Amino acid sequence: MRSTTLSWAIVAWMTDAVNAGFGLTTKSNAYSVDTDGGLVFDVSRTNGDITSLLYNGVQYQGTSKMSAINSGLGTSTVTAETINGYIKITVVAKSLPLTQYFVAKPDDPTIYMATYITGEITPGELRWLARLRRSAVPTGWHGDVANLDGCTAFEGKDTFKCPNGQTRCKMYTSDRFIDDQVHGVTGKNVGVWMIMPGVAYETSASGPFMRDINSQSGDDQELYWYMNSGHVRTEPWRFGLMGPYAMRFTTGAKPSSALDTSFFEGLSITGYVPSSKRGSISGKATGVSSSYQTVLHWYNSAAQYWTVASSDGSYTSPLMKPGTYTMKLYRGEFPVAQDSVAISANARATKNIASTESAPSVIWRIGDFDGQPFELRNGDKIERMHPSDVRMAAWGGSYTVGKSTAKDFPMALFSKQGGTVAVSFNADAKQAASDSVVLRVGTTLSFKGGRPSVKIGTWTGKDPGAPKLIDSRGVTRGAYRGYGEVYTWQVPKGTLREGTNTLTLGVSGSGDAAFLSANYVVDAVELQGPSGADSPR
């Protein structure tokens, strides 16, 4: 009898294995989805957490905390159904103005998602967070920049110092939204990837150059997609549908960002706008040197979009929701023109845009007005480490026009760390006698009201006043992009002397100690006036 019972059990197991395929199973505590593509995932029927991520027979879901929006939605209404051959799970949070969607399609190891909000989400951010078994996917995004092993928090609870003097922070895994269509974590024969295709960012905030957390390697391997946060945010939140976006499992290879999500149109996803109800704009952007990326950006209170023009300036926007948009043109990340455009459903508008930037005569220039500090000292490192990191060069110092290079000028100045920068330069007789000399300092980000203080000889420039406050740590968490202020001072005639002069550039503002004192990130510095031997060519 025992042998017969065992035989029937084996037959039943084999039958289930043969019949296993794409489908939805209701368990006592979860909905289980078999994608028939190697991925089986479970969604809690109580709160919408993902509680199991089984891929090719290996469990990737962490054990202590589940994968969810933020750190979990709490008690929710969770329903599941099959529509048009797709599985759709809907999670309506009871204590937050949020609905989360999980969608699966046959033979595809991907969890397609969308997040619909009607108000701000406590605690002031909105993110998808997958908590994965680190032993299975040990490698985070951008290598070890957020690997916390053996490191101790020294600034807030998110920035760490390691025994070798290197620094770690999950913010150091971030990339510009315009570049960040795919990021992920990997292990032996596996990769788990976030994919933000098409217009996934349209309801996020702060434009194409916004950056946010992508991963962190602690007890779990954390994989993120941040839709909104207060991390150097420059716009109010937008409300509506975030996505569609996706989390895909592969055997290791990074997937394409060209992910088709058009099937969402038939799934009754609140806030989803199909291609047929969108419009676009095309044209030509001119006046930006081919040495720089030509970026176009459209935005209003409901949506945002961007694209990069081709080498001849031709561009076509993504498909956009109908409405009137501010249209900006950037040289790199530096704004050089602005217009507006109306977008209608199922129509293509046409508009050319040209740089309106003036081109005054310049005595000398340090760096490039491109909205980025990368060519300056430590600019090549600041996205991935703290300013105090042992790999950083010294801050402050001196610079000699005509002899020094951009790499000799610090990409940030701090009121209580590193000191000022002394810029030594020569002026000829014509320049010294000129009454049209203007000092121009471009910054990309300010902290604690930090702004330039300037002095040439006995002349001290007027304090321009504190810029608009961004209530977030910036450069210490790898950020360089904020509102982007440009300051100018008319230098009185007679200030320059024929021969050697010195500009002392410092910081007005106080703040806390060291690198958390008032500071700003430098874009470029130039002295405008009659051209001479050190003028840029």
Side-chain angles (χ1 to χ4, degrees):
M1 179 67 67
R2 182 177 182 183
S3 177
T4 302
T5 302
L6 182 60
S7 296
W8 276 111
I10 293 173
V11 169
W13 176 84
M14 292 178 66
T15 301
D16 288 344
V18 170
N19 292 336
F22 183 75
L24 171 67
T25 301
T26 302
K27 299 179 179 179
S28 61
N29 59 353
Y31 292 112
S32 185
V33 178
D34 189 336
T35 65
D36 200 27
L39 174 65
V40 180
F41 65 94
D42 289 1
V43 178
S44 167
R45 295 175 60 189
T46 302
N47 55 25
D49 287 358
I50 287 185
T51 58
S52 177
L53 291 164
L54 197 65
Y55 178 61
N56 289 341
V58 177
Q59 181 61 254
Y60 289 92
Q61 173 59 49
T63 57
S64 60
K65 295 181 179 179
M66 299 300 105
S67 298
I69 291 292
N70 288 356
S71 295
L73 298 176
T75 303
S76 303
T77 300
V78 185
T79 57
E81 57 191 321
T82 300
I83 305 176
N84 302 327
Y86 301 96
I87 295 171
K88 171 190 169 187
I89 297 176
T90 304
V91 183
V92 180
K94 289 191 175 181
S95 60
L96 295 171
L98 182 149
T99 300
Q100 177 70 11
Y101 298 97
F102 301 106
V103 177
K105 61 187 270 190
D107 196 32
D108 186 349
T110 303
I111 304 174
Y112 293 85
M113 291 178 270
T115 307
Y116 180 75
I117 63 170
T118 57
E120 290 199 30
I121 306 300
T122 304
E125 62 183 24
L126 181 62
R127 65 187 183 182
W128 167 253
L129 170 53
R131 299 182 184 272
L132 308 171
R133 290 177 53 239
R134 190 172 169 198
S135 60
V137 279
T139 304
W141 192 239
H142 290 297
D144 63 359
V145 298
N147 182 339
L148 308 184
D149 293 347
C151 306
T152 303
F154 74 100
E155 183 182 297
K157 297 180 180 179
D158 56 11
T159 308
F160 294 76
K161 184 84 74 174
C162 306
N164 61 1
Q166 295 185 6
T167 51
R168 306 280 188 262
C169 180
K170 56 189 176 182
M171 287 295 300
Y172 301 157
T173 65
S174 63
D175 296 301
R176 304 187 312 168
F177 283 179
I178 195 171
D179 303 321
D180 190 8
Q181 284 81 53
V182 181
H183 62 259
V185 296
T186 57
K188 184 178 180 180
N189 299 321
V190 68
V192 188
W193 307 93
M194 295 307 304
I195 308 176
M196 288 67 66
V199 294
Y201 288 103
E202 70 179 350
T203 318
S204 293
S206 300
F209 314 124
M210 176 69 176
R211 298 165 57 229
D212 225 319
I213 302 164
N214 285 335
S215 76
Q216 179 173 249
S217 305
D219 294 336
D220 288 329
Q221 184 67 274
E222 298 174 355
L223 175 62
Y224 297 83
W225 180 48
Y226 262 82
M227 293 161 256
N228 272 321
S229 79
H231 302 150
V232 198
R233 177 162 58 98
T234 58
E235 285 184 318
W237 278 35
R238 294 180 174 91
F239 305 132
L241 188 71
M242 312 286 171
Y245 57 100
M247 186 169 73
R248 170 168 285 182
F249 285 73
T250 73
T251 55
K254 182 180 178 180
S256 168
S257 63
L259 190 68
D260 179 19
T261 58
S262 61
F263 59 88
F264 270 58
E265 182 175 358
L267 298 179
S268 299
I269 304 291
T270 303
Y272 182 79
V273 180
S275 297
S276 61
K277 295 183 179 180
R278 295 172 176 267
S280 65
I281 178 173
S282 61
K284 204 159 201 178
T286 56
V288 176
S289 166
S290 60
S291 301
Y292 302 93
Q293 196 175 51
T294 301
V295 177
L296 295 111
H297 175 204
W298 300 269
Y299 61 94
N300 58 25
S301 61
Q304 60 175 8
Y305 308 91
W306 45 75
T307 194
V308 177
S310 62
S311 58
D312 67 353
S314 299
Y315 75 86
T316 298
S317 75
L319 290 174
M320 302 160 65
K321 296 176 183 177
T324 299
Y325 293 85
T326 297
M327 176 179 179
K328 272 193 176 182
L329 173 65
Y330 298 87
R331 179 181 63 244
E333 298 185 24
F334 188 84
V336 294
Q338 182 170 310
D339 207 334
S340 64
V341 62
I343 299 296
S344 300
N346 201 25
R348 174 178 286 188
T350 301
K351 183 181 283 288
N352 296 331
I353 189 169
S355 172
T356 58
E357 186 180 25
S358 62
S361 176
V362 173
I363 297 173
W364 52 259
R365 179 183 299 132
I366 302 169
D368 301 314
F369 283 93
D370 59 0
Q372 303 169 330
F374 302 146
E375 72 275 17
L376 304 177
R377 189 200 310 158
N378 294 325
D380 59 334
K381 304 179 184 69
I382 198 61
E383 292 180 288
R384 311 293 172 212
M385 62 187 77
H386 192 275
S388 67
D389 195 289
V390 294
R391 293 166 291 181
M392 289 284 187
W395 298 94
S398 60
Y399 183 98
T400 301
V401 173
K403 293 183 179 179
S404 301
T405 67
K407 289 294 184 186
D408 298 316
F409 193 95
M411 54 77 61
L413 288 168
F414 305 84
S415 65
K416 298 179 182 179
Q417 182 72 37
T420 60
V421 178
V423 179
S424 177
F425 64 96
N426 289 319
D428 60 28
K430 184 178 181 181
Q431 292 164 343
S434 175
D435 59 1
S436 59
V437 174
V438 173
L439 176 64
R440 183 184 187 213
V441 179
T443 67
T444 66
L445 178 63
S446 170
F447 179 71
K448 294 288 187 181
R451 65 276 189 191
S453 65
V454 298
K455 181 179 180 181
I456 300 176
T458 59
W459 169 78
T460 298
K462 181 181 178 180
D463 183 351
K468 185 176 180 180
L469 178 68
I470 295 178
D471 189 19
S472 169
R473 281 175 289 151
V475 70
T476 64
R477 293 202 297 190
Y480 66 86
R481 177 77 188 181
Y483 292 114
E485 289 82 11
V486 177
Y487 302 91
T488 59
W489 293 264
Q490 182 74 43
V491 180
K493 184 178 180 179
T495 297
L496 299 189
R497 298 179 301 174
E498 186 175 358
T500 301
N501 295 264
T502 299
L503 162 68
T504 301
L505 188 64
V507 181
S508 292
S510 55
D512 298 323
F515 292 106
L516 289 179
S517 61
N519 62 69
Y520 58 86
V521 175
V522 179
D523 186 7
V525 182
E526 70 179 13
L527 192 64
Q528 299 173 359
S531 61
D534 294 319
S535 298
R537 306 299 180 212

